[in-house]
Amino acid sequence: DTEVTQTPKHLVMGMTNKKSLKCEQHMGHRAMYWYKQKAKKPPELMFVYSYEKLSINESVPSRFSPECPNSSLLNLHLHALQPEDSALYLCASSWTSGPGDEQFFGPGTRLTVL
Amino acid sequence: QKEVEQNSGPLSVPEGAIASLNCTYSDRGSQSFFWYRQYSGKSPELIMFIYSNGDKEDGRFTAQLNKASQYVSLLIRDSQPSDSATYLCAVAGGGADGLTFGKGTHLIIQP
């Protein structure tokens, strides 16, 4: 299995809702990432997990809460989001979080906040 | 702060010609350099990576790295209409995990 999967593909939520995004990989990778991509912009790093521990939080608002239950799974819990949080949320994985390891992206979850 | 610069384009190239995409980066500590292709509405797809100065070839793609000039490029030979996409340059290293992306170059291959 050489892919990263993400669910759901699309999500529409109100500002008071709580929802979660899910990411899964079975490549044995020990680093997993969340990126946010707005339209016509490049992906921006949000979180890095290395060996199931959060190693970077790029000053992301607390309404985004990551979780890494095991080495194959990565969740992003969403609560009280704002309309400006509407974006494509991308999960990626790599062997380690070292700079030499290629990151492979999942198909993304397109989030719309009403 | 690490910066990665690309010409946003659009870059228009005739079918069968060579497309040349360029990228510069600000952090001299950067160690690895990646080219991703992204079709509209899709996620980035890794097409090339390079760590050492010089050229690296993979099929129709050649990545070139010049660390002294802090410059990375991607050449696409025998361009096909299916190569039309946004090409993102990404940089890793310099003490931080994760990738820093350029804004991407929109490439159009004209049939």
Side-chain angles (χ1 to χ4, degrees):
Chain A
D1 190 348
T2 59
E3 65 174 348
V4 179
T5 59
Q6 290 187 244
T7 54
K9 285 188 170 53
H10 301 275
L11 178 63
V12 179
M13 60 186 291
M15 289 190 286
T16 58
N17 291 157
K18 285 185 181 181
K19 297 287 184 182
S20 296
L21 310 183
K22 180 179 174 182
C23 173
E24 195 164 1
Q25 58 87 15
H26 294 288
M27 296 179 278
H29 289 176
R30 303 313 301 265
M32 297 185 76
Y33 311 79
W34 282 114
Y35 289 84
K36 172 183 177 179
Q37 186 176 26
K38 303 276 281 184
K40 307 288 187 188
K41 300 288 187 183
E44 293 180 350
L45 182 65
M46 299 176 72
F47 299 105
V48 179
Y49 273 87
S50 178
Y51 290 86
E52 301 157 49
K53 288 185 168 35
L54 181 64
S55 65
I56 290 184
N57 174 341
E58 293 285 322
S59 301
V60 177
S62 59
R63 56 186 185 267
F64 296 92
S65 175
E67 178 195 19
C68 188
N70 60 57
S71 60
S72 300
L73 280 176
L74 186 65
N75 299 320
L76 185 62
H77 303 297
L78 314 172
H79 173 56
L81 294 193
Q82 304 298 309
E84 59 265 28
D85 296 321
S86 298
L88 180 67
Y89 287 83
L90 294 161
C91 175
S93 72
S94 60
W95 279 111
T96 72
S97 60
D101 291 341
E102 306 98 88
Q103 291 185 27
F104 298 94
F105 284 83
T109 293
R110 188 160 300 280
L111 173 68
T112 302
V113 182
L114 301 176
Chain B
Q1 184 176 350
K2 196 183 295 186
E3 292 185 352
V4 180
E5 299 287 340
Q6 294 181 259
N7 187 327
S8 61
L11 175 64
S12 188
V13 173
E15 183 175 357
I18 296 175
S20 178
L21 304 164
N22 304 316
C23 171
T24 59
Y25 59 95
S26 63
D27 186 350
R28 285 197 172 273
S30 300
Q31 299 176 46
S32 306
F33 308 88
F34 304 87
W35 284 100
Y36 285 85
R37 176 175 62 199
Q38 187 171 27
Y39 294 112
S40 181
K42 302 294 186 183
S43 65
E45 175 192 7
L46 180 65
I47 53 173
M48 286 288 290
F49 59 90
I50 188 166
Y51 309 131
S52 304
N53 276 330
D55 295 1
K56 179 182 178 182
E57 186 175 318
D58 184 1
R60 295 188 296 114
F61 299 97
T62 298
Q64 300 174 316
L65 173 61
N66 184 326
K67 288 188 177 181
S69 301
Q70 295 175 244
Y71 176 87
V72 194
S73 66
L74 179 70
L75 302 177
I76 307 175
R77 288 182 299 282
D78 188 23
S79 296
Q80 303 296 310
S82 59
D83 294 326
S84 298
T86 295
Y87 288 79
L88 296 163
C89 174
V91 172
D97 293 334
L99 295 172
T100 300
F101 285 88
K103 292 184 178 178
T105 297
H106 183 203
L107 177 65
I108 299 171
I109 306 301
Q110 296 178 318

Short mmCIF file of all heavy atoms in Angstrom, two decimals, chain B residues 27-80:
data_model
loop_
_atom_site.label_atom_id
_atom_site.label_comp_id
_atom_site.label_asym_id
_atom_site.label_seq_id
_atom_site.Cartn_x
_atom_site.Cartn_y
_atom_site.Cartn_z
N ASP B 27 17.09 30.35 2.55
CA ASP B 27 17.81 29.77 3.67
C ASP B 27 18.96 28.89 3.17
O ASP B 27 18.74 27.83 2.59
CB ASP B 27 16.83 28.95 4.52
CG ASP B 27 17.46 28.42 5.80
OD1 ASP B 27 18.70 28.52 5.96
OD2 ASP B 27 16.72 27.89 6.63
N ARG B 28 20.19 29.33 3.44
CA ARG B 28 21.36 28.57 2.98
C ARG B 28 21.48 27.22 3.69
O ARG B 28 22.22 26.35 3.25
CB ARG B 28 22.64 29.36 3.21
CG ARG B 28 22.84 30.48 2.23
CD ARG B 28 24.28 30.97 2.22
NE ARG B 28 24.49 31.92 1.14
CZ ARG B 28 24.82 31.57 -0.10
NH1 ARG B 28 24.99 30.29 -0.40
NH2 ARG B 28 24.99 32.48 -1.03
N GLY B 29 20.77 27.05 4.80
CA GLY B 29 20.79 25.77 5.51
C GLY B 29 19.86 24.74 4.92
O GLY B 29 19.82 23.60 5.39
N SER B 30 19.11 25.10 3.90
CA SER B 30 18.20 24.15 3.27
C SER B 30 18.97 22.98 2.69
O SER B 30 20.07 23.15 2.14
CB SER B 30 17.40 24.84 2.15
OG SER B 30 16.66 25.92 2.67
N GLN B 31 18.39 21.80 2.83
CA GLN B 31 19.13 20.59 2.48
C GLN B 31 18.52 19.80 1.34
O GLN B 31 19.23 19.09 0.63
CB GLN B 31 19.23 19.69 3.72
CG GLN B 31 19.96 20.32 4.88
CD GLN B 31 19.93 19.43 6.11
OE1 GLN B 31 20.18 18.24 6.02
NE2 GLN B 31 19.62 20.00 7.25
N SER B 32 17.20 19.85 1.21
CA SER B 32 16.53 19.00 0.23
C SER B 32 15.51 19.84 -0.52
O SER B 32 14.90 20.75 0.04
CB SER B 32 15.81 17.84 0.93
OG SER B 32 16.71 17.14 1.76
N PHE B 33 15.33 19.45 -1.79
CA PHE B 33 14.52 20.26 -2.68
C PHE B 33 13.61 19.36 -3.49
O PHE B 33 14.05 18.33 -4.02
CB PHE B 33 15.45 21.08 -3.60
CG PHE B 33 16.47 21.85 -2.80
CD1 PHE B 33 17.68 21.25 -2.46
CD2 PHE B 33 16.21 23.13 -2.36
CE1 PHE B 33 18.61 21.93 -1.68
CE2 PHE B 33 17.13 23.81 -1.59
CZ PHE B 33 18.33 23.21 -1.24
N PHE B 34 12.36 19.75 -3.55
CA PHE B 34 11.35 18.87 -4.12
C PHE B 34 10.53 19.64 -5.15
O PHE B 34 10.27 20.84 -4.98
CB PHE B 34 10.42 18.35 -3.02
CG PHE B 34 11.13 17.64 -1.90
CD1 PHE B 34 11.64 18.34 -0.82
CD2 PHE B 34 11.30 16.28 -1.94
CE1 PHE B 34 12.30 17.69 0.21
CE2 PHE B 34 11.96 15.61 -0.91
CZ PHE B 34 12.46 16.33 0.16
N TRP B 35 10.11 18.94 -6.17
CA TRP B 35 9.15 19.49 -7.13
C TRP B 35 7.87 18.66 -7.07
O TRP B 35 7.90 17.43 -7.21
CB TRP B 35 9.72 19.46 -8.55
CG TRP B 35 10.74 20.52 -8.79
CD1 TRP B 35 12.09 20.39 -8.78
CD2 TRP B 35 10.47 21.89 -9.10
NE1 TRP B 35 12.69 21.58 -9.05
CE2 TRP B 35 11.72 22.53 -9.26
CE3 TRP B 35 9.31 22.65 -9.28
CZ2 TRP B 35 11.83 23.89 -9.58
CZ3 TRP B 35 9.42 23.99 -9.58
CH2 TRP B 35 10.68 24.60 -9.73
N TYR B 36 6.77 19.37 -6.84
CA TYR B 36 5.46 18.74 -6.83
C TYR B 36 4.65 19.30 -8.00
O TYR B 36 4.74 20.47 -8.33
CB TYR B 36 4.72 19.04 -5.53
CG TYR B 36 5.22 18.28 -4.32
CD1 TYR B 36 6.30 18.74 -3.58
CD2 TYR B 36 4.60 17.09 -3.93
CE1 TYR B 36 6.75 18.04 -2.47
CE2 TYR B 36 5.05 16.38 -2.82
CZ TYR B 36 6.11 16.86 -2.10
OH TYR B 36 6.57 16.15 -1.00
N ARG B 37 3.82 18.45 -8.56
CA ARG B 37 2.87 18.87 -9.58
C ARG B 37 1.48 18.82 -8.95
O ARG B 37 1.12 17.86 -8.28
CB ARG B 37 2.92 17.91 -10.77
CG ARG B 37 1.92 18.17 -11.87
CD ARG B 37 2.13 17.23 -13.06
NE ARG B 37 1.94 15.84 -12.68
CZ ARG B 37 2.40 14.80 -13.39
NH1 ARG B 37 3.10 15.01 -14.50
NH2 ARG B 37 2.15 13.56 -12.99
N GLN B 38 0.71 19.87 -9.20
CA GLN B 38 -0.64 19.93 -8.64
C GLN B 38 -1.62 20.32 -9.73
O GLN B 38 -1.55 21.42 -10.27
CB GLN B 38 -0.73 20.90 -7.46
CG GLN B 38 -2.06 20.85 -6.74
CD GLN B 38 -2.08 21.64 -5.44
OE1 GLN B 38 -1.34 22.60 -5.27
NE2 GLN B 38 -2.94 21.23 -4.50
N TYR B 39 -2.53 19.41 -10.04
CA TYR B 39 -3.62 19.72 -10.95
C TYR B 39 -4.72 20.44 -10.16
O TYR B 39 -4.84 20.25 -8.95
CB TYR B 39 -4.18 18.44 -11.57
CG TYR B 39 -3.22 17.72 -12.49
CD1 TYR B 39 -2.70 16.47 -12.16
CD2 TYR B 39 -2.84 18.28 -13.70
CE1 TYR B 39 -1.83 15.79 -13.01
CE2 TYR B 39 -1.95 17.63 -14.55
CZ TYR B 39 -1.45 16.38 -14.19
OH TYR B 39 -0.58 15.73 -15.03
N SER B 40 -5.49 21.23 -10.87
CA SER B 40 -6.54 22.02 -10.24
C SER B 40 -7.50 21.13 -9.44
O SER B 40 -8.03 20.14 -9.97
CB SER B 40 -7.31 22.80 -11.30
OG SER B 40 -8.32 23.58 -10.71
N GLY B 41 -7.71 21.43 -8.19
CA GLY B 41 -8.62 20.68 -7.34
C GLY B 41 -8.06 19.40 -6.76
O GLY B 41 -8.75 18.68 -6.05
N LYS B 42 -6.79 19.11 -7.08
CA LYS B 42 -6.16 17.88 -6.59
C LYS B 42 -5.05 18.20 -5.60
O LYS B 42 -4.70 19.37 -5.39
CB LYS B 42 -5.58 17.07 -7.77
CG LYS B 42 -6.60 16.69 -8.82
CD LYS B 42 -7.63 15.72 -8.29
CE LYS B 42 -8.56 15.23 -9.38
NZ LYS B 42 -9.62 14.33 -8.82
N SER B 43 -4.49 17.16 -5.00
CA SER B 43 -3.40 17.36 -4.04
C SER B 43 -2.05 17.33 -4.75
O SER B 43 -1.95 16.83 -5.89
CB SER B 43 -3.47 16.28 -2.97
OG SER B 43 -3.24 15.00 -3.52
N PRO B 44 -1.00 17.84 -4.13
CA PRO B 44 0.32 17.82 -4.75
C PRO B 44 0.85 16.39 -4.94
O PRO B 44 0.70 15.54 -4.05
CB PRO B 44 1.19 18.60 -3.76
CG PRO B 44 0.23 19.42 -2.97
CD PRO B 44 -1.00 18.59 -2.86
N GLU B 45 1.50 16.18 -6.07
CA GLU B 45 2.09 14.88 -6.41
C GLU B 45 3.59 15.07 -6.58
O GLU B 45 4.03 15.90 -7.38
CB GLU B 45 1.46 14.37 -7.71
CG GLU B 45 2.06 13.08 -8.24
CD GLU B 45 1.61 12.79 -9.65
OE1 GLU B 45 0.94 13.64 -10.26
OE2 GLU B 45 1.95 11.72 -10.17
N LEU B 46 4.39 14.31 -5.84
CA LEU B 46 5.84 14.44 -5.92
C LEU B 46 6.34 13.91 -7.26
O LEU B 46 6.02 12.77 -7.65
CB LEU B 46 6.49 13.65 -4.78
CG LEU B 46 8.01 13.68 -4.72
CD1 LEU B 46 8.52 15.09 -4.43
CD2 LEU B 46 8.52 12.72 -3.66
N ILE B 47 7.12 14.73 -7.97
CA ILE B 47 7.66 14.26 -9.24
C ILE B 47 9.18 14.17 -9.23
O ILE B 47 9.77 13.35 -9.94
CB ILE B 47 7.18 15.11 -10.43
CG1 ILE B 47 7.43 16.59 -10.23
CG2 ILE B 47 5.70 14.87 -10.69
CD1 ILE B 47 7.13 17.42 -11.45
N MET B 48 9.86 15.01 -8.45
CA MET B 48 11.32 14.96 -8.42
C MET B 48 11.81 15.46 -7.07
O MET B 48 11.18 16.31 -6.45
CB MET B 48 11.94 15.86 -9.50
CG MET B 48 11.84 15.35 -10.91
SD MET B 48 12.91 13.95 -11.25
CE MET B 48 14.53 14.74 -11.23
N PHE B 49 12.98 14.97 -6.65
CA PHE B 49 13.66 15.55 -5.51
C PHE B 49 15.16 15.52 -5.77
O PHE B 49 15.65 14.68 -6.54
CB PHE B 49 13.32 14.81 -4.21
CG PHE B 49 13.66 13.35 -4.23
CD1 PHE B 49 14.89 12.90 -3.81
CD2 PHE B 49 12.72 12.42 -4.67
CE1 PHE B 49 15.20 11.56 -3.83
CE2 PHE B 49 13.02 11.07 -4.70
CZ PHE B 49 14.26 10.64 -4.28
N ILE B 50 15.87 16.45 -5.15
CA ILE B 50 17.30 16.55 -5.36
C ILE B 50 17.96 17.06 -4.11
O ILE B 50 17.40 17.92 -3.41
CB ILE B 50 17.61 17.45 -6.60
CG1 ILE B 50 19.10 17.41 -6.96
CG2 ILE B 50 17.11 18.87 -6.39
CD1 ILE B 50 19.40 18.00 -8.34
N TYR B 51 19.14 16.51 -3.78
CA TYR B 51 19.84 16.91 -2.56
C TYR B 51 21.22 17.51 -2.87
O TYR B 51 21.73 18.31 -2.10
CB TYR B 51 20.06 15.71 -1.64
CG TYR B 51 18.83 14.89 -1.35
CD1 TYR B 51 18.85 13.50 -1.48
CD2 TYR B 51 17.65 15.51 -0.97
CE1 TYR B 51 17.72 12.75 -1.21
CE2 TYR B 51 16.51 14.76 -0.71
CZ TYR B 51 16.56 13.38 -0.82
OH TYR B 51 15.44 12.64 -0.57
N SER B 52 21.82 17.05 -3.97
CA SER B 52 23.20 17.43 -4.27
C SER B 52 23.25 18.38 -5.46
O SER B 52 22.39 18.33 -6.34
CB SER B 52 24.02 16.18 -4.61
OG SER B 52 23.95 15.24 -3.56
N ASN B 53 24.29 19.20 -5.47
CA ASN B 53 24.52 20.08 -6.61
C ASN B 53 24.61 19.29 -7.90
O ASN B 53 25.17 18.18 -7.93
CB ASN B 53 25.81 20.87 -6.42
CG ASN B 53 25.62 22.11 -5.58
OD1 ASN B 53 24.55 22.72 -5.57
ND2 ASN B 53 26.66 22.47 -4.85
N GLY B 54 24.07 19.85 -8.97
CA GLY B 54 24.15 19.19 -10.26
C GLY B 54 22.78 18.85 -10.80
O GLY B 54 21.79 19.46 -10.43
N ASP B 55 22.76 17.89 -11.69
CA ASP B 55 21.52 17.49 -12.36
C ASP B 55 21.09 16.11 -11.90
O ASP B 55 21.91 15.25 -11.59
CB ASP B 55 21.74 17.44 -13.88
CG ASP B 55 22.03 18.80 -14.47
OD1 ASP B 55 22.08 19.79 -13.71
OD2 ASP B 55 22.22 18.89 -15.70
N LYS B 56 19.77 15.92 -11.91
CA LYS B 56 19.21 14.60 -11.65
C LYS B 56 18.10 14.37 -12.66
O LYS B 56 17.19 15.20 -12.78
CB LYS B 56 18.66 14.52 -10.23
CG LYS B 56 18.03 13.17 -9.89
CD LYS B 56 17.47 13.18 -8.48
CE LYS B 56 16.80 11.85 -8.16
NZ LYS B 56 16.21 11.86 -6.81
N GLU B 57 18.18 13.26 -13.38
CA GLU B 57 17.23 13.01 -14.45
C GLU B 57 16.33 11.83 -14.11
O GLU B 57 16.77 10.83 -13.53
CB GLU B 57 18.00 12.72 -15.75
CG GLU B 57 17.13 12.58 -16.98
CD GLU B 57 17.96 12.41 -18.25
OE1 GLU B 57 18.98 13.12 -18.39
OE2 GLU B 57 17.60 11.57 -19.08
N ASP B 58 15.06 11.97 -14.46
CA ASP B 58 14.11 10.87 -14.28
C ASP B 58 13.11 10.95 -15.43
O ASP B 58 12.20 11.78 -15.41
CB ASP B 58 13.39 10.98 -12.93
CG ASP B 58 12.46 9.80 -12.67
OD1 ASP B 58 12.37 8.88 -13.51
OD2 ASP B 58 11.80 9.79 -11.60
N GLY B 59 13.32 10.12 -16.45
CA GLY B 59 12.44 10.15 -17.61
C GLY B 59 12.52 11.49 -18.32
O GLY B 59 13.61 11.95 -18.68
N ARG B 60 11.38 12.15 -18.50
CA ARG B 60 11.37 13.45 -19.19
C ARG B 60 11.72 14.61 -18.27
O ARG B 60 11.82 15.75 -18.73
CB ARG B 60 9.98 13.69 -19.78
CG ARG B 60 9.57 12.72 -20.88
CD ARG B 60 8.26 13.13 -21.54
NE ARG B 60 7.11 13.11 -20.62
CZ ARG B 60 6.45 14.21 -20.25
NH1 ARG B 60 6.79 15.40 -20.71
NH2 ARG B 60 5.40 14.10 -19.44
N PHE B 61 11.92 14.35 -16.99
CA PHE B 61 12.17 15.39 -16.02
C PHE B 61 13.65 15.44 -15.62
O PHE B 61 14.27 14.41 -15.41
CB PHE B 61 11.32 15.16 -14.76
CG PHE B 61 9.84 15.17 -15.01
CD1 PHE B 61 9.15 13.98 -15.19
CD2 PHE B 61 9.13 16.36 -15.06
CE1 PHE B 61 7.77 13.99 -15.42
CE2 PHE B 61 7.76 16.36 -15.30
CZ PHE B 61 7.08 15.18 -15.47
N THR B 62 14.16 16.67 -15.50
CA THR B 62 15.51 16.88 -14.96
C THR B 62 15.44 17.98 -13.92
O THR B 62 14.95 19.07 -14.21
CB THR B 62 16.50 17.29 -16.06
OG1 THR B 62 16.61 16.24 -17.03
CG2 THR B 62 17.88 17.55 -15.47
N ALA B 63 15.92 17.68 -12.72
CA ALA B 63 16.03 18.69 -11.68
C ALA B 63 17.48 19.15 -11.62
O ALA B 63 18.41 18.35 -11.79
CB ALA B 63 15.60 18.12 -10.33
N GLN B 64 17.67 20.44 -11.41
CA GLN B 64 19.00 21.01 -11.33
C GLN B 64 19.10 21.81 -10.05
O GLN B 64 18.18 22.56 -9.70
CB GLN B 64 19.26 21.93 -12.54
CG GLN B 64 19.18 21.21 -13.87
CD GLN B 64 19.31 22.17 -15.05
OE1 GLN B 64 18.71 23.24 -15.06
NE2 GLN B 64 20.09 21.77 -16.04
N LEU B 65 20.23 21.66 -9.35
CA LEU B 65 20.43 22.36 -8.08
C LEU B 65 21.78 23.06 -8.09
O LEU B 65 22.79 22.46 -8.45
CB LEU B 65 20.37 21.37 -6.91
CG LEU B 65 20.73 21.91 -5.53
CD1 LEU B 65 19.76 23.03 -5.10
CD2 LEU B 65 20.72 20.78 -4.49
N ASN B 66 21.77 24.32 -7.68
CA ASN B 66 22.99 25.10 -7.51
C ASN B 66 22.90 25.76 -6.14
O ASN B 66 22.24 26.79 -5.97
CB ASN B 66 23.12 26.15 -8.62
CG ASN B 66 24.42 26.93 -8.52
OD1 ASN B 66 24.92 27.18 -7.43
ND2 ASN B 66 24.94 27.32 -9.66
N LYS B 67 23.54 25.14 -5.15
CA LYS B 67 23.43 25.65 -3.77
C LYS B 67 24.14 26.98 -3.60
O LYS B 67 23.71 27.80 -2.79
CB LYS B 67 23.98 24.61 -2.79
CG LYS B 67 23.08 23.40 -2.63
CD LYS B 67 23.58 22.50 -1.51
CE LYS B 67 22.63 21.32 -1.30
NZ LYS B 67 23.09 20.43 -0.20
N ALA B 68 25.20 27.21 -4.34
CA ALA B 68 25.92 28.48 -4.23
C ALA B 68 25.03 29.64 -4.64
O ALA B 68 25.04 30.71 -4.03
CB ALA B 68 27.18 28.46 -5.08
N SER B 69 24.21 29.42 -5.66
CA SER B 69 23.29 30.45 -6.15
C SER B 69 21.92 30.34 -5.51
O SER B 69 21.04 31.16 -5.80
CB SER B 69 23.15 30.35 -7.68
OG SER B 69 24.39 30.50 -8.31
N GLN B 70 21.70 29.30 -4.69
CA GLN B 70 20.42 29.06 -4.03
C GLN B 70 19.30 28.98 -5.05
O GLN B 70 18.27 29.69 -4.95
CB GLN B 70 20.17 30.14 -2.96
CG GLN B 70 21.20 30.05 -1.86
CD GLN B 70 21.07 31.18 -0.83
OE1 GLN B 70 21.97 31.99 -0.70
NE2 GLN B 70 19.97 31.21 -0.15
N TYR B 71 19.51 28.11 -6.01
CA TYR B 71 18.66 28.04 -7.20
C TYR B 71 18.37 26.59 -7.55
O TYR B 71 19.26 25.74 -7.53
CB TYR B 71 19.43 28.72 -8.35
CG TYR B 71 18.78 28.68 -9.70
CD1 TYR B 71 17.88 29.68 -10.07
CD2 TYR B 71 19.10 27.69 -10.62
CE1 TYR B 71 17.30 29.66 -11.33
CE2 TYR B 71 18.52 27.66 -11.88
CZ TYR B 71 17.64 28.65 -12.22
OH TYR B 71 17.07 28.64 -13.47
N VAL B 72 17.10 26.33 -7.80
CA VAL B 72 16.66 24.99 -8.21
C VAL B 72 15.83 25.16 -9.47
O VAL B 72 15.05 26.12 -9.57
CB VAL B 72 15.76 24.34 -7.13
CG1 VAL B 72 15.59 22.85 -7.38
CG2 VAL B 72 16.30 24.56 -5.75
N SER B 73 15.95 24.21 -10.38
CA SER B 73 15.11 24.28 -11.57
C SER B 73 14.59 22.90 -11.93
O SER B 73 15.12 21.88 -11.48
CB SER B 73 15.88 24.89 -12.75
OG SER B 73 16.92 24.02 -13.14
N LEU B 74 13.55 22.92 -12.73
CA LEU B 74 12.96 21.67 -13.26
C LEU B 74 12.79 21.85 -14.76
O LEU B 74 12.17 22.83 -15.19
CB LEU B 74 11.61 21.39 -12.60
CG LEU B 74 10.89 20.14 -13.10
CD1 LEU B 74 11.62 18.88 -12.63
CD2 LEU B 74 9.43 20.12 -12.61
N LEU B 75 13.34 20.92 -15.52
CA LEU B 75 13.16 20.90 -16.96
C LEU B 75 12.24 19.75 -17.32
O LEU B 75 12.41 18.63 -16.81
CB LEU B 75 14.50 20.72 -17.68
CG LEU B 75 15.57 21.77 -17.42
CD1 LEU B 75 16.85 21.41 -18.16
CD2 LEU B 75 15.09 23.15 -17.83
N ILE B 76 11.27 20.03 -18.17
CA ILE B 76 10.39 18.99 -18.68
C ILE B 76 10.60 18.92 -20.18
O ILE B 76 10.29 19.87 -20.91
CB ILE B 76 8.90 19.31 -18.35
CG1 ILE B 76 8.72 19.57 -16.86
CG2 ILE B 76 8.02 18.14 -18.80
CD1 ILE B 76 7.30 20.02 -16.48
N ARG B 77 11.14 17.80 -20.63
CA ARG B 77 11.39 17.62 -22.07
C ARG B 77 10.15 17.06 -22.75
O ARG B 77 9.32 16.39 -22.11
CB ARG B 77 12.56 16.68 -22.28
CG ARG B 77 13.92 17.28 -21.93
CD ARG B 77 15.04 16.27 -22.21
NE ARG B 77 14.88 15.07 -21.40
CZ ARG B 77 15.21 15.01 -20.12
NH1 ARG B 77 15.69 16.06 -19.50
NH2 ARG B 77 15.04 13.88 -19.46
N ASP B 78 10.03 17.30 -24.05
CA ASP B 78 8.91 16.76 -24.83
C ASP B 78 7.59 17.00 -24.11
O ASP B 78 6.82 16.08 -23.83
CB ASP B 78 9.12 15.25 -25.06
CG ASP B 78 8.11 14.66 -26.03
OD1 ASP B 78 7.54 15.43 -26.84
OD2 ASP B 78 7.85 13.44 -25.95
N SER B 79 7.34 18.27 -23.80
CA SER B 79 6.16 18.64 -23.01
C SER B 79 4.88 18.14 -23.65
O SER B 79 4.70 18.22 -24.87
CB SER B 79 6.10 20.16 -22.87
OG SER B 79 7.20 20.64 -22.15
N GLN B 80 3.99 17.64 -22.82
CA GLN B 80 2.70 17.13 -23.26
C GLN B 80 1.57 17.97 -22.64
O GLN B 80 1.73 18.52 -21.55
CB GLN B 80 2.55 15.67 -22.81
CG GLN B 80 3.64 14.74 -23.31
CD GLN B 80 3.63 14.65 -24.83
OE1 GLN B 80 2.58 14.41 -25.43
NE2 GLN B 80 4.80 14.84 -25.45
#
